[in-house]
Amino acid sequence: MAWIHTVEETDATGIVKEEYDAAIARVGRVYNIVKLFSARPKSMRAFIELYKVVMHDEESPLTRMQREMIATVVSKVNECRY
């Protein structure tokens, strides 16, 4: 498995800190998939915005539960530990 440097919550500044704080407010923690983007703050912000549209868009033909199930299956197939 590849090793990617990530910014820890205690070391976050700027955009990374803003996004970490928003994640904590939203779900109570910063998930590793968000931390993965911490070395590239602009990419992090874009990823989070895309995630919100994909997973939370009320106009989607899929329910939130269906989208979460698809994400779970894809993660399992990809042997993702988180």
Side-chain angles (χ1 to χ4, degrees), residues 3-50:
W3 181 83
I4 299 171
H5 171 74
T6 59
V7 176
E8 292 301 317
E9 294 164 51
T10 54
D11 298 326
T13 61
I15 291 172
V16 176
K17 180 164 178 29
E18 290 171 20
E19 294 299 342
Y20 280 8
D21 289 347
I24 291 167
R26 195 170 45 251
V27 295
R29 62 179 289 197
V30 181
Y31 285 98
N32 286 338
I33 190 69
V34 173
K35 287 182 180 180
L36 175 69
F37 287 92
S38 63
R40 301 289 308 266
K42 290 180 184 177
S43 296
M44 171 189 272
R45 184 160 278 165
F47 163 74
I48 291 169
E49 289 305 312
L50 175 62

Side-chain angles (χ1 to χ4, degrees), residues 43-58:
S43 296
M44 171 189 272
R45 184 160 278 165
F47 163 74
I48 291 169
E49 289 305 312
L50 175 62
Y51 173 81
K52 288 177 186 176
V53 170
V54 170
M55 296 305 288
H56 299 280
D57 185 5
E58 294 179 10

